[in-house]
Each structure stands twice: as structure tokens, then as C-alpha cells.
Amino acid sequence: QVQLQQWGAGLLKPSETLSLTCAVYGGSFSGYYWSWIRQPPGKGLEWIGEINHSGSTNYNPSLKSRVTISVDTSKNHFSLKLSSVTAADTAVYYCARIEYDILTGYSNGAFDIWGQGTMVTVSS
Amino acid sequence: EIVLTQSPGTLSLSPGERATLSCRASQSVSNSYLAWYQQKPGQAPRLLIYGASSRATGIPDRFSGSGSGTDFTLTISRLEPEDFAVYYCQQSGSSRTFGQGTKVEIK
């Protein structure tokens, strides 16, 4: 049973850098895109970006200038850094995975496993 | 960026009734990279449908998806009490985006 367990600082001041980590337990790390998704209180979901086991990344264009996603394959971890946060970055942040075929690149593009979510509040 | 517009915003129905949720894309979603999720308060979303019409593992057959191109539909044939939740569509044809959600509430 694959599980994603995430953690990180829950309270930040404006201009600080958000930092979260997601660990993958019980499954392979390769053959997946590992994503970060966020959800402001009472609002919808926003995809932030993703990374695969070899470190190839894709980012939401609206956040790209402030986002860095990295991977540590030795620990089956991947991490999110979001710089210069403001109150608009207050949200529940989720990690999630999308499966893809390493040989063909084919993916169904759907997030099948999600972390438990981490509430991050930005306030002075 | 592909914008997904879901309708209606809220659907008020009774248990046992049929629910029909719509998701319209601003441009064609390639290879039907369209998924549907269910989210309950305080929980992470759960994958229901991928590839527009394939049910994810463990999803009851009262959930079905259809559509292609720019118009997609999630149908819940007979609502069970546990189906009252918010539903999101999501595309991966060009980057990845979500619709704004449809809330299915008890009438």
C-alpha cells in the first residue's frame, strides 16, 4: 500500500520561503511524476508543479518564477520550495503522484495517490 | 493554459437520484487526459475517473464518465449518502489544470 507522508512549516511570515517535503512509502519512486497541488481555504485546487525520479521538472507558469521542486531518490523524498510568500499563498498543500511508462512516456495524467495535506498560513 | 469550467456550481439532490456534472474545456483535451475527483471536507481528493471514462481502482460502478474533446460528464447513477461531496475535473493534455468544482449537496 503506497502512502505519501508530507511535512513542513505551517506558519510563515510574508517574504519568507515555504518549504515542504513528501516521502513515498511502500512503492517505487521511478515511473511517476511527483506533484505538488494546493487549495486555498474554501477554494479549488491548483497544480504547482512536478518532478520525476531523474529530476526533470514541470511547473505551473503562473508560479514558475517562485517555485523549486527537488528530489532525493536515496530517501524516496521530494520537496517544494516557494519563495517570497504572501497571504495569497495560504493554502492546504498536497503532494500527489501520476504514473507514467518510463519506456514510452505514456501517462493517464491522473493523480491516483495523495498525501494527507499540510496547512500553510502566511501571516505577519 | 486550458481552462476547465464546471457546471452547475451546486447540485441539490436527494439520495437515490441521478447526478449529472459537466466539465467544459476552453480547448480540446488531447487523448482524453481528463480525470474526475471527489473531495470531502478535511480530506484529500480521491481519484474516481481517468481517461475520461475509466474508473479508478475500487470505485463503484454507479460512477461513470463520458465525453471527449471539450465536453465531459461525470454521472452518478444513484446517489448514496456518502456521495455528497465536491467534485473536480482535471486535465493533463496541456500542463495540468483543475475545474473550480461542483458541490453535490443533500436536498
Side-chain angles (χ1 to χ4, degrees), chain A residues 42-76:
Chain A
K43 297 188 178 180
L45 300 160
E46 179 180 35
W47 178 71
I48 298 170
E50 66 191 12
I51 193 166
N52 67 5
H53 71 284
S54 61
S56 177
T57 55
N58 296 298
Y59 297 129
N60 183 325
S62 68
L63 296 169
K64 186 174 184 177
S65 64
R66 298 194 292 131
V67 173
T68 302
I69 297 176
S70 59
V71 65
D72 184 341
T73 54
S74 67
K75 295 181 179 179
N76 278 14

Side-chain angles (χ1 to χ4, degrees), chain B residues 14-68:
Chain B
S14 300
E17 289 194 296
R18 181 184 187 89
T20 302
L21 288 67
S22 174
C23 176
R24 179 161 290 179
S26 60
Q27 53 189 284
S28 183
V29 176
S30 61
N31 298 322
S32 293
Y33 285 145
L34 194 288
W36 290 93
Y37 302 84
Q38 176 194 69
Q39 187 179 33
K40 297 180 180 179
Q43 296 184 15
R46 177 175 71 143
L47 176 65
L48 300 175
I49 301 288
Y50 64 91
S53 60
S54 298
R55 270 188 302 277
T57 303
I59 301 304
D61 60 8
R62 64 179 181 273
F63 291 92
S64 63
S66 62
S68 63

Side-chain angles (χ1 to χ4, degrees), chain A residues 33 37 39 43-47 50 60-61 94 98 106-112 114-115, chain B residues 1 33 35 37 39 43-47 49-51 88 90 92 95-100:
Chain A
Y33 291 112
I37 295 157
Q39 185 171 37
K43 297 188 178 180
L45 300 160
E46 179 180 35
W47 178 71
E50 66 191 12
N60 183 325
Y94 295 100
I98 290 179
Y106 174 78
S107 169
N108 64 25
F111 300 101
D112 65 341
W114 294 65
Chain B
E1 171 181 299
Y33 285 145
Y37 302 84
Q39 187 179 33
Q43 296 184 15
R46 177 175 71 143
L47 176 65
I49 301 288
Y50 64 91
Y88 293 95
Q90 173 254 325
S92 289
S95 190
R96 307 193 198 278
T97 54
F98 290 87
Q100 83 279 16

Side-chain angles (χ1 to χ4, degrees), chain A residues 70-120:
Chain A
S70 59
V71 65
D72 184 341
T73 54
S74 67
K75 295 181 179 179
N76 278 14
H77 289 179
F78 62 105
S79 298
L80 167 70
K81 290 191 185 300
L82 179 67
S83 64
S84 305
V85 297
T86 69
D89 296 310
T90 294
V92 175
Y93 286 74
Y94 295 100
C95 56
R97 77 173 193 183
I98 290 179
E99 185 175 6
Y100 76 99
D101 187 300
I102 294 175
L103 295 179
T104 67
Y106 174 78
S107 169
N108 64 25
F111 300 101
D112 65 341
I113 303 289
W114 294 65
Q116 79 276 20
T118 299
M119 180 67 209
V120 176

